[in-house]
Amino acid sequence: EIEHECNSILPNDWKSSVDSTNVDGADEEALLLLARCQLDGTGLDSPNPELALYYLQAAYHMTKSVKAAHTLALIYEYPQQSNNLVPIDVYAAFEWFKAAAEGGCVPSMAELALCYELGCGVTQSDENALDWYMKAAAAGCSSAHFSVGEHYEEGRSVRLDHEEACIWYHRAAVMGEEDGVRGLRRLEEVARRV
């Protein structure tokens, strides 16, 4: 249990913009922990979501933390991530998923692909969705394998190819993705040939 006052290390002008250069000595984990205690209210009289967002942004800008970027995206996309203290902002979520994905965060790659697929916070683009699903799949994301299969099954931004869809569904299924199994069942006749 954290027993210290989270605000004690903040400068008086904490609301000013965060320097966008990597700061020597900045501690990513400490900033992430401070953000978490602000969201949870641990060791405080009450949660402070604005300060939590500040710490997460500081972690990203000062340490290039993709974990902070991913966390920010989740907070803006899913209200339960902030104990319902931060309103949904799909545009901010998209930007933070993009920052984390470009930094190599695999879950953010899949989330960014979904943003493109659904047009959530960005103009809908099957091409960009498939590109990011492919990157996430190459990095080992099982759900991304399934999503690539869907693109082939439905002919979205690629030629319609049920055999190729089955290959991707099989990869997802082998990785434990139930949707991959369902995709194979849907294309059962083709899957038997592949």
Side-chain angles (χ1 to χ4, degrees):
E1 188 172 353
I2 299 170
E3 304 255 343
H4 61 80
E5 175 63 43
C6 292
N7 292 336
S8 63
I9 67 163
L10 274 180
N12 290 333
D13 63 343
W14 67 267
K15 289 185 180 181
S16 63
S17 63
V18 178
D19 188 344
S20 63
T21 60
N22 196 349
V23 177
D24 290 336
D27 187 332
E28 173 189 19
E29 288 305 315
L31 291 166
L32 294 173
L33 183 58
L34 288 168
R36 178 52 44 203
C37 85
Q38 290 297 331
L39 279 177
D40 296 343
T42 304
L44 305 169
D45 292 333
S46 63
N48 185 336
E50 184 180 44
L51 193 52
L53 295 174
Y54 168 83
Y55 280 126
L56 289 168
Q57 290 173 21
Y60 175 74
H61 290 293
M62 296 170 78
T63 71
K64 306 301 180 216
S65 171
V66 295
K67 189 174 183 180
H70 183 70
T71 301
L72 280 160
L74 291 175
I75 286 170
Y76 283 117
E77 183 76 13
Y78 305 105
Q80 65 274 21
Q81 295 290 321
S82 69
N83 300 315
N84 297 310
L85 297 173
V86 176
I88 293 173
D89 182 341
V90 294
Y91 299 100
F94 168 80
E95 291 300 330
W96 286 112
F97 280 134
K98 185 176 181 192
E102 289 173 346
C105 179
V106 177
S108 281
M109 291 177 190
E111 289 280 356
L112 182 63
L114 185 60
C115 288
Y116 278 117
E117 181 179 357
L118 301 176
C120 191
V122 66
T123 302
Q124 195 279 337
S125 170
D126 285 329
E127 294 82 15
N128 288 333
L130 181 59
D131 181 50
W132 280 104
Y133 280 134
M134 295 284 274
K135 290 175 183 176
C141 178
S142 61
S143 64
H145 283 86
F146 168 75
S147 295
V148 172
E150 274 190 319
H151 275 73
Y152 279 101
E153 181 181 0
E154 297 168 6
R156 287 187 281 139
S157 73
V158 291
R159 74 189 185 298
L160 183 91
D161 188 337
H162 287 173
E163 289 181 6
E164 188 69 19
C166 285
I167 291 168
W168 286 97
Y169 289 154
H170 180 263
R171 290 175 184 162
V174 167
M175 296 175 81
E177 191 68 36
E178 283 298 315
D179 284 336
V181 174
R182 284 190 278 281
L184 288 171
R185 286 188 187 131
R186 209 170 37 246
L187 299 176
E188 189 173 351
E189 283 186 37
V190 176
R192 288 184 191 166
R193 290 189 311 235
V194 177

